[in-house]
Amino acid sequence: MVRWPVDYDGAWTLAGPVRRSGIGLHSGQPVSVTLKPSADPGVWVQWSSDAAAPVRLEPSQVRDSQLCTTLELGDRRLATVEHLLAALAGCGLTHALLEVEGEEIPLLDGSALGWVEAIAEADLQEVSGWRPQRPMLEQPLALHRGSSVITATPAEQFSVVGVIDFPQPAIGRQQFALELTPQRFVDEIAPARTFGFREQVEQLRAAGLIQGGALDNALVCDGEHWLNPPLRYPDEPVRHKLLDLIGDLALVGFPRAQVLVYRGSHGLHTDLAAALADRSPVQP
């Protein structure tokens, strides 16, 4: 059994390569990713069909796209990266190379659990001589989009608080908070699946979205009940919102702060990531 790092102050890569294939949530196309060890800090991406050198992922590459986070990497885009990035960062990995086939990351079961299992299969290896430079705040930071709010308050460690409020009785108002460590990420956040609403399915598909969505890779809410129970946690939706937040902050690094998000979205998360990037030490 893999021993996860105790915190996010160390440097880790994979002990070997591991591959996962599946369907892209929005494209509905077969896609795959091979996770590989890297001697260079950061997360790097290259396409298996392209001889170009790998590209290091940076916060400035993030594009706020509908219902997912997309990276613009030169003349190519890579969509729905948030669950994989959450797994990498949440498990404590600081060095990784992603070899991609396709334009989207596989959805797997709609959570980060499949990626955690892949990382555990490959195992982790400590990297000597390098330590992550995590964003530091001197003053609280608050951002909003309409009625949605995200705040970051200086703290010794990274902790997250999520609050959601939906009119559908099956979800309603939920709150979840924890001080994050790799083990807590694996146990409390990674298994939480993405969710949607039955009444929106046809509209989204007509718009070219969620072409790969199905009852085995997303929870579907129908007002007072779920079409595909059981839930993995009673409050699985708010935990998944925190999974998305963790993935969207992965490229800038986890700040020494408490991050609270009310009615979060990828756009709001990436607004905070951009603000934190302006306050981050320069990474070597």
Side-chain angles (χ1 to χ4, degrees), residues 36-217:
K36 295 183 173 183
S38 174
D40 299 314
V43 178
W44 300 75
V45 166
Q46 67 180 163
W47 272 268
S48 57
S49 59
D50 193 336
V55 177
R56 181 174 176 171
L57 301 187
E58 305 286 353
S60 61
Q61 298 157 345
V62 173
R63 299 293 177 263
D64 177 15
S65 51
Q66 192 173 7
L67 299 183
C68 72
T69 297
T70 297
L71 301 176
E72 189 172 287
L73 306 174
D75 59 355
R76 304 187 74 156
R77 286 194 166 212
L78 184 61
T80 321
V81 299
E82 57 270 20
H83 299 169
L84 173 52
L85 292 181
L88 294 172
C91 290
L93 285 164
T94 55
H95 297 54
L97 172 63
L98 313 180
E99 187 176 278
V100 179
E101 297 177 28
E103 304 298 324
E104 192 172 8
I105 298 297
L107 182 61
L108 304 184
D109 74 346
S111 76
L113 182 59
W115 297 116
V116 168
E117 291 171 345
I119 293 166
E121 180 183 322
D123 208 351
L124 275 67
Q125 180 173 306
E126 192 165 11
V127 178
S128 60
W130 188 89
R131 287 294 178 266
Q133 300 296 308
R134 296 169 59 187
M136 301 287 290
L137 291 177
E138 296 182 358
Q139 299 291 332
L141 179 63
L143 302 166
H144 70 91
R145 287 194 178 199
S147 60
S148 300
V149 179
I150 193 165
T151 66
T153 305
E156 287 299 313
Q157 299 297 332
F158 178 49
S159 63
V160 290
V161 182
V163 182
I164 60 174
D165 194 359
F166 285 91
Q168 290 84 356
I171 303 176
R173 184 181 179 92
Q174 299 180 4
Q175 178 173 320
F176 187 74
L178 82 167
E179 183 175 298
L180 203 68
T181 66
Q183 188 66 62
R184 289 176 189 150
F185 172 80
V186 169
D187 294 340
E188 305 289 342
I189 299 294
R193 293 162 292 175
T194 191
F195 63 96
F197 303 94
R198 183 177 184 178
E199 66 269 19
Q200 297 177 356
V201 169
E202 292 308 317
Q203 178 184 357
L204 291 171
R205 285 186 169 164
L209 299 169
I210 66 166
Q211 304 299 309
L215 293 178
D216 62 355
N217 59 28

